[in-house]
């Protein structure tokens, strides 16, 4: 496959992303504007809070109890990306590649076990 | 007819335009099919209730009526909301869905773009929707929305990993990331030298299949993983402030994504568009391919929705523990076992 074909494939991908904009724009901006009513009343634009007047700001502080998982995720996801090229080429790498990956996954598992032991995976 | 289809030669812009139009029609259609067949019909059978009966024959037009209702609703944006982000969020979610359709092959040539890194691309764009959902949750300036958005973020990153790791087993077996290549690997494979049925990877990767489906369920925020939209606790999560057409986009994206995820699962584990006994390069696949793929998708979608209709909701901590303490270690072991077997045999 030539390089320009390769670029073209991702041009299509970009166009497909643009399609989302066009779809939403056409349906919401054009079709919607013709069909839907528009009767502004102050009460309609209040923040919903189960039928009572909203208390304080919507951006209230709350304890995100699982933020540590996010840190753990960043680590693991990057390493999951490393596994893919290995998985594709395993046939050529043979036993050598396999042992390398066993070491890699063992270290990865050790990290998870450490986090587990340190009670990171526990609800705090 | 198949000869006519395969002999047409179009310029790049012509074929791309056709592809865009087809996908633009396909996305709402698939969402409608899943909505009507599973959300209305199968759900009402499974839960012993009637479901919609009035609109059209046997209530089949109910979703279209709902759609028409949503179009006629006033476009409401709360005063306190962050308007730009509020408006962009549904677009991002829909974009993720549309991009997922790019890599899914319905036959060898019937695919938007046969990317070399097909599975990897699909996994990458599927996590785009998290950003959209977080944007929706944050920009609504509503306590329920914020909580729902954060829950969705926490849940989606937890289940992203099992999903990625479950796919690695398939990639090891196929030796390629291209979805087309994975289908061909299954078609050309053999079970202990018996090659008539090929080698659908569900036979060797059933652990991966289970993990993948569980992760898909979580990515779609469907029951039992529907903490982010739990109606009884936080009303509708990140969707609370959305109404009318903007809400419809979230709904559409959810079901269209369910369809395409079922398609990816069918391609990875059930042989995709391949029909046993017919060579993948055969021209008959211009017609047969989509039909076979659709059948397999409906099978997988049935599994997904079956779980959705019958299981109660996971608690947030159980949900995280299930991903980190069960699915990820099992997926890692699965990768190792698959790798060892691949090298030994």
């Amino acid at each position: 496959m030539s390089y320009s074909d390769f670029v073209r494939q991702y041009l299509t991908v970009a166009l497909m992303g643009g399609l989302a904009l066009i779809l939403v724009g056409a349906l919401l901006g054009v079709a919607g504007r013709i069909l839907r009513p528009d009767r502004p009343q102050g009460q309609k634009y209040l923040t919903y809070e189960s039928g009572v007047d909203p208390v304080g700001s919507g951006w209230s502080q709350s304890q995100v109890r699982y933020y540590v998982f996010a840190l753990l995720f960043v680590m693991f996801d990057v390493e999951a990306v490393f596994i893919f090229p290995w998985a594709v080429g395993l046939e050529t790498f043979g036993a050598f590649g396999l042992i390398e990956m066993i070491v890699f996954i063992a270290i990865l598992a050790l990290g998870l076990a450490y986090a587990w032991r340190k009670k990171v995976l526990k609800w705090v | 007819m198949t000869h006519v289809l395969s002999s047409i030669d179009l310029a790049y812009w012509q074929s791309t335009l056709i592809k865009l139009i087809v996908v633009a029609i396909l996305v709402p259609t698939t969402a409608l099919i899943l909505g009507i067949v599973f959300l209305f019909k199968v759900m009402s059978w499974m839960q012993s209730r009637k479901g919609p009966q009035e609109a059209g024959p046997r209530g089949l037009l109910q979703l279209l009526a709902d759609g028409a209702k949503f179009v006629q609703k006033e476009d409401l944006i709360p005063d306190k909301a962050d308007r730009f982000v509020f408006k962009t969020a549904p677009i991002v979610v829909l974009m993720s869905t549309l991009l997922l359709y790019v890599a899914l092959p319905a036959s060898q040539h019937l695919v938007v773009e046969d990317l070399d890194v097909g599975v990897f691309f699909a996994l990458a764009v599927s996590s785009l929707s998290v950003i959209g959902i977080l944007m929706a949750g944050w920009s609504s300036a509503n306590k329920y929305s914020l909580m729902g958005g954060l829950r969705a973020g926490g849940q989606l990153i937890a289940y992203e990993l099992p999903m990625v790791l479950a796919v690695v087993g398939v990639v090891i077996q196929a030796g390629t990331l291209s979805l087309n290549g994975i289908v061909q690997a299954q078609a050309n494979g053999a079970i202990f030298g018996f090659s008539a049925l090929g080698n659908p990877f569900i036979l060797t990767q059933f652990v991966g299949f289970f993990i993948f489906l569980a992760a898909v369920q979580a990515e779609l925020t469907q029951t039992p993983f529907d903490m982010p939209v739990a109606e009884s606790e936080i009303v509708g999560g990140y969707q609370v402030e959305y109404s009318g057409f903007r809400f419809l986009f979230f709904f559409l994206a959810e079901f269209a994504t369910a369809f395409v995820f079922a398609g990816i699962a069918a391609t990875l584990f059930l042989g995709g568009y391949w029909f046993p006994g017919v060579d993948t390069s055969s021209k008959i696949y211009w017609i047969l391919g989509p039909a076979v793929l659709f059948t397999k998708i409906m099978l997988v979608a049935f599994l997904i929705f079956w779980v959705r209709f019958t299981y109660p909701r996971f608690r947030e901590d159980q949900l995280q523990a299930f991903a980190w303490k069960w699915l990820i270690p099992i997926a890692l072991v699965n990768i190792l076992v698959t790798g060892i077997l691949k090298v030994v045999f």
Side-chain angles (χ1 to χ4, degrees), chain A residues 1 5-25 27-28 31-32 35-42 44-50 54-64 66-81 83-91 93-98 101-103 105-106 108-109 112 116 121-123, chain B residues 12 16 19-21 23-24 71-82 87 90-91 94-95 98-99 101-102 112-117 119-121 123 137-144 146-147 150-158 160-161 164-165 167-168 171-177 235 240-241 245-246 249 316-317 320-321 324-326 328-329 332-333 335-336 338-340 342-344:
Chain A
M1 192 174 64
D5 282 342
F6 175 78
V7 175
R8 270 189 176 177
Q9 284 193 332
Y10 287 92
L11 178 65
T12 316
V13 170
L15 288 173
M16 195 60 79
L19 183 65
L21 262 175
I22 298 171
L23 267 183
V24 173
L27 289 174
L28 209 63
L35 286 167
R36 65 173 179 244
D38 182 29
R39 296 194 189 81
Q41 286 162 2
K44 283 181 185 170
Y45 306 105
L46 279 181
T47 302
Y48 173 78
E49 204 162 300
S50 302
V55 181
S57 159
W59 288 302
S60 57
Q61 290 192 335
S62 55
Q63 189 187 1
V64 184
Y66 32 86
Y67 72 97
V68 205
F69 292 110
L71 292 178
L72 217 56
F73 167 76
V74 172
M75 229 169 60
F76 269 80
D77 211 32
V78 172
E79 298 183 23
V81 170
I83 298 181
F84 271 96
W86 168 81
V88 174
L90 183 57
E91 202 135 17
F93 296 152
F96 168 72
L98 183 66
M101 190 43 71
I102 289 177
V103 173
I105 289 184
L108 203 64
L112 184 64
W116 198 331
L121 303 183
K122 206 169 161 257
W123 192 245
Chain B
Y12 171 75
T16 308
K19 285 167 186 171
L20 290 179
I21 293 172
V23 171
V71 178
Q72 295 172 50
K73 277 199 169 184
E74 195 176 341
D75 184 27
L76 296 176
I77 299 177
D79 271 335
K80 294 218 172 112
D82 186 334
K87 284 179 177 172
I91 302 180
L94 193 65
M95 201 178 275
L98 287 173
L99 288 177
Y101 277 78
V102 169
V112 177
E113 282 299 344
D114 181 23
L115 300 173
D116 289 339
V117 289
V119 205
F120 197 70
F121 172 82
L123 291 172
W138 173 261
S139 64
S140 302
N142 181 313
K143 286 161 199 140
Y144 300 124
L146 184 59
M147 239 179 258
L150 288 176
R151 280 183 183 186
Q155 168 174 328
L156 295 186
I157 60 169
E160 187 70 31
L161 265 178
V164 171
L165 295 176
V167 170
V168 173
V171 175
I172 290 175
Q173 281 207 297
T176 171
L177 286 171
V235 196
V240 171
E241 293 292 356
F245 231 135
R246 293 181 203 279
F249 281 122
E316 187 71 42
D317 59 327
Q320 296 284 352
W324 289 98
K325 294 183 181 171
W326 291 97
I328 291 176
L332 286 176
V333 171
I335 291 175
L336 282 184
T338 312
I340 290 169
K342 169 91 174 181
V343 171
V344 171

Side-chain angles (χ1 to χ4, degrees), chain B residues 193-205:
Chain B
F194 176 70
S195 61
L197 284 173
N199 180 18
F201 289 150
I202 189 172
L203 298 176
T204 43
Q205 290 293 326

Side-chain angles (χ1 to χ4, degrees), chain B residues 117-140:
Chain B
V117 289
V119 205
F120 197 70
F121 172 82
L123 291 172
V125 295
S126 75
S127 44
L128 255 183
S129 67
V130 189
I131 300 170
I133 287 173
L134 271 176
M135 281 164 71
W138 173 261
S139 64
S140 302

Side-chain angles (χ1 to χ4, degrees), chain B residues 35-56:
Chain B
I36 291 167
V37 173
F38 292 113
L39 190 62
F40 289 162
K41 290 302 164 193
V42 175
M43 190 184 192
S44 55
W45 285 328
M46 282 189 178
Q47 302 184 341
S48 307
R49 50 202 177 101
K50 271 191 156 176
Q53 304 283 323
E54 302 295 330

